[in-house]
C-alpha cells in the first residue's frame, strides 16, 4: 500500500520515469482513485510542460553556426 | 591520418555531434545567461569535442557527452560560488511542492491556468534567476530530457544530489510562479 504522503514524496520521480518498476504500478493505482493526489499529479504535469515550453531549445544566430563550422573546418584532426 | 580517414571522422562528427548544436547552445545559455558568452562556450565545447572525438563511443548518448564537456569548461571558466551542499532534502522539497500546489492551484486544481502566456514569461524570468546549480539540473531534466544517471555524470555529482538540486529548483520555480500569480491577482494574497 502507498499513502498520499508517499505519493507526494515520489511524484516527481514517477513523472521523471525514475521510480523502480515495483513502485510505478502502486503509485499509478493510487493516483487514479485518489481525489487529493490526482489534481496534484495533473498540476505537476502542467508545470513540467510549462518549464519545457518556456525554456525550449532555441538555436544560436545563423552567423554563429557558420563561424563554428568554419572554426571546426580549420581545426586539426582529432588527437589519436 | 589519411585525408579519407579525416573526412570520415568529420562526417561522423557532423552526424552525431553537430546535430546537437541547438541543445548545447541552449544549455550553455542556461549556464551563462548571456548570448555572447553562450556562443563562446558552445564553440569551445565543439572544438574540444572534435579534438577528443576518438574518445567518444559512437552510438552512445552524444548529447550528454557534449553537455559534460560544456559544463566542465564552464566550471573551469568561472570561479564558482562554493555553496553548502544540500543534504538529502529531495523528499522535503517534494512535500513542500505539494503544499505549494494547494495555494498555486487555487483557481484551477489541475493547473490549466499555467497555459496562460504570462506564466511562460514569468517562468523564463524565474529560471534565469535560479542559482546555477539548480538551473542546470532543471534544464537538463526538463528541457533536454536527460535521466538522473546522465545528469549525475554531466554534473559530476551523486544521484542523490541530482534529485536534491532538481527538486529544489522546481520548488523555487513554483514559489516564483506563486508570487507572480499573487501579484497578478490570479490567486488571493497579493498586494
Amino acid at each position: 500500500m502507498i499513502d498520499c504522503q508517499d505519493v507526494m514524496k515520489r511524484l516527481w520521480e514517477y513523472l521523471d520515469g525514475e521510480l523502480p518498476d515495483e513502485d510505478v504500478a502502486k503509485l499509478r493505482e493510487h493516483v487514479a482513485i485518489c481525489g487529493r493526489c490526482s489534481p496534484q499529479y495533473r498540476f505537476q504535469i502542467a508545470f513540467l510542460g510549462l518549464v519545457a515550453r518556456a525554456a525550449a531549445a532555441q538555436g544560436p544566430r545563423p552567423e554563429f553556426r557558420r563561424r563554428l563550422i568554419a572554426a571546426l573546418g580549420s581545426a586539426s584532426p582529432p588527437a589519436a | 591520418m589519411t585525408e579519407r580517414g579525416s573526412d570520415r571522422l568529420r562526417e561522423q562528427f557532423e552526424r552525431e555531434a553537430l546535430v546537437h548544436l541547438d541543445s548545447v547552445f541552449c544549455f550553455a545559455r542556461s549556464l551563462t545567461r548571456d548570448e555572447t558568452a553562450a556562443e563562446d562556450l558552445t564553440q569551445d565545447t565543439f572544438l574540444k569535442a572534435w579534438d577528443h572525438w576518438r574518445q567518444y563511443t559512437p552510438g552512445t548518448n552524444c548529447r550528454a557527452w557534449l553537455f559534460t564537456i560544456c559544463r566542465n569548461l564552464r566550471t573551469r571558466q568561472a570561479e564558482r560560488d562554493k555553496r553548502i551542499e544540500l543534504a538529502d532534502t529531495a523528499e522535503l522539497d517534494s512535500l513542500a511542492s505539494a503544499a505549494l500546489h494547494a495555494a498555486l492551484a487555487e483557481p484551477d486544481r489541475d493547473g490549466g491556468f499555467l497555459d496562460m502566456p504570462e506564466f511562460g514569461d514569468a517562468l523564463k524570468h524565474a529560471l534565469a534567476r535560479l542559482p546555477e546549480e539548480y538551473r542546470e539540473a532543471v534544464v537538463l531534466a526538463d528541457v533536454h530530457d536527460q535521466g538522473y544517471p546522465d545528469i549525475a555524470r554531466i554534473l559530476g555529482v551523486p544521484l542523490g544530489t541530482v534529485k536534491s538540486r532538481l527538486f529544489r529548483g522546481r520548488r523555487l520555480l513554483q514559489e516564483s510562479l506563486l508570487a507572480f500569480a499573487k501579484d497578478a491577482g490570479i490567486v488571493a494574497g497579493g498586494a
Side-chain angles (χ1 to χ4, degrees), chain A residues 16 18 61 65 72 76, chain B residues 10 22 39 50 148 170:
Chain A
D16 290 335
E18 302 279 354
R61 298 172 298 143
R65 193 180 294 267
L72 285 166
S76 310
Chain B
R10 278 192 189 281
D22 287 1
E39 287 184 353
W50 170 242
Y148 298 173
R170 286 172 177 169

Side-chain angles (χ1 to χ4, degrees), chain A:
Chain A
M1 267 307 278
I2 185 169
D3 62 22
C4 294
Q5 177 102 339
D6 291 330
V7 171
M8 299 298 169
K9 280 183 192 167
R10 313 204 71 184
L11 192 51
W12 274 333
E13 281 174 88
Y14 172 73
L15 292 172
D16 290 335
E18 302 279 354
L19 213 54
D21 288 345
E22 61 268 27
D23 296 332
V24 168
K26 287 183 209 160
L27 196 142
R28 191 187 294 136
E29 281 166 25
H30 179 103
V31 165
I33 56 167
C34 177
R36 186 176 161 210
C37 292
S38 60
Q40 173 77 229
Y41 167 77
R42 289 191 293 273
F43 173 81
Q44 295 298 349
I45 289 176
F47 167 72
L48 294 178
L50 173 69
V51 178
R53 283 195 307 280
Q58 278 181 328
R61 298 172 298 143
E63 310 87 273
F64 169 70
R65 193 180 294 267
R66 284 194 289 275
R67 181 153 56 88
L68 173 63
I69 288 169
L72 285 166
S74 55
S76 310

